[in-house]
Amino acid sequence: MKILVIADHDNGALKPETSKVVNAASKIGSDITVLVAGANVAEIANSAAQIAGVTNVIVADDAVYAQQLAENTADLVVELASGYSHILASASTTGKNMMPRVAALLDKSQISEIIAVVDENTFKRPIYAGNAIATVQSNEDVKVLTVRASAFDVQASQGAVAINSVDSAVANTTTEFVSVEQTMSERPELTAAAVVISGGRGMQNGENFALLEGIADKLGAAIGASRAAVDAGFVPNDMQVGQTGKIVAPNLYIAVGISGAIQHLAGMKDSKVIVAINKDPDAPIFQVADYGLVADLFEVLPELEKAL
Ligand SMILES: Cc1cc2nc3c(=O)[nH]c(=O)nc-3n(C[C@H](O)[C@H](O)[C@H](O)COP(=O)(O)OP(=O)(O)OC[C@H]3O[C@@H](n4cnc5c(N)ncnc54)[C@H](O)[C@@H]3O)c2cc1C
């Protein structure tokens, strides 16, 4: 049983999701190869080689993979797929774009967003916005899996294993990279942050999110939002947590002025400790909260910041 894990990176650094996907892979078997596709990714390959459980690393280092476009990266994965029984990538934007193409090209059914490995053929994945967990058994000879990285821990380190280059540069003939617009922030990335503080409709407007910023600065937290806050234009869409936003599972999640709709819970209920601040004692968020504060956020947020 040979397992191929597709590394998640931004050409600058390996993302922690890769280590978590290796953790998932290690529950399937012990022969784990990591593929690093990108441009100037030697350092990233080095980092991948030091994730505990990885047996070897393959690097496809070429300008054609600089943007990791799904179209040609999927072709590369298929080119290398022979002999692997499992192909895994994180259910990140990149993985969700690429892996269905890999599955289709291999004529396999993808199993998406697994949160647990039961055995080499059987996996658990959330359905109905996380309200039920399906146990899925696959008869495919090659399993194409995306992994909800937040459900797995980061692996420990090991002494670096062998890194081999592949001389494959699949040109992209159908699509062209035009530009990327990135939100630059000093704060940790929402999906990787150990602490997340999110604001909802109760924040009333975008300016009031400054009340969360002071606390986030003190806690080294990322700032998230409910969909209602995003739809109302308080904050940009990339801050949305939930079923149609980002899935987070930090050590500490602070929900401020968020009612706790199931679609929001789908994105944060696996957080280790949940704190809710809401003026309505009957708000559903209190049903999942470890600590609840029934209070007006405009009174308690400045106090909390001062106390911190
Ligand atoms: C298909 C689909 C997908 C969806 N995906 C998502 C998703 O990904 N993420 C998501 O978040 N939602 C999602 N939603 C929307 C979801 O159903 C809710 O509408 C949304 O989460 C509500 O956001 P909210 O809690 O900020 O707003 P509300 O439900 O309006 O809650 C605001 C809360 O703020 C409290 N509040 C008000 N003022 C104060 C104050 N001064 N101090 C303290 N508390 C105060 C209120 O008591 C209330 O509980 C989705 C919906 C659908 C149908």
Side-chain angles (χ1 to χ4, degrees), residues 199-204 225-229 240-245 257-264 277-280 283 295-298:
R201 203 195 316 258
M203 298 302 295
Q204 291 182 3
S226 70
R227 177 155 157 184
Q240 185 178 318
V241 171
Q243 183 189 338
T244 44
I258 292 177
S259 59
I262 53 162
Q263 296 90 353
H264 188 79
I277 301 175
N278 197 305
K279 67 178 183 185
D280 173 8
D296 186 326
L297 67 92
F298 296 103

Side-chain angles (χ1 to χ4, degrees), residues 199-271:
R201 203 195 316 258
M203 298 302 295
Q204 291 182 3
N205 57 47
E207 289 75 55
N208 289 337
F209 269 70
L211 292 167
L212 304 182
E213 281 167 19
I215 294 168
D217 287 344
K218 293 209 156 65
L219 295 175
I223 300 183
S226 70
R227 177 155 157 184
V230 170
D231 285 353
F234 299 173
V235 289
N237 166 277
D238 61 358
M239 287 170 66
Q240 185 178 318
V241 171
Q243 183 189 338
T244 44
K246 292 186 173 145
I247 311 285
V248 301
N251 293 334
L252 173 62
Y253 187 88
I254 309 174
V256 183
I258 292 177
S259 59
I262 53 162
Q263 296 90 353
H264 188 79
L265 302 187
M268 46 62 75
K269 69 175 164 32
D270 291 331
S271 305

Side-chain angles (χ1 to χ4, degrees), residues 25-106:
S26 69
K27 297 180 189 328
I28 299 170
S30 56
D31 189 348
I32 303 171
T33 300
V34 176
L35 168 66
V36 178
N40 302 316
V41 288
E43 270 312 305
I44 294 170
N46 274 334
S47 306
Q50 291 169 40
I51 300 172
V54 172
T55 37
N56 73 304
V57 174
I58 299 177
V59 193
D61 200 333
D62 195 287
V64 294
Y65 302 124
Q67 312 304 336
Q68 296 172 67
L69 297 179
E71 287 80 358
N72 61 337
T73 315
D75 284 345
L76 169 72
V77 173
V78 171
E79 210 176 272
L80 299 172
S82 164
Y84 290 101
S85 56
H86 297 74
I87 304 174
L88 283 73
S90 84
S92 61
T93 315
T94 310
K96 281 179 175 174
N97 192 7
M98 179 187 59
M99 291 299 267
R101 295 166 199 264
V102 171
L105 289 167
L106 294 173

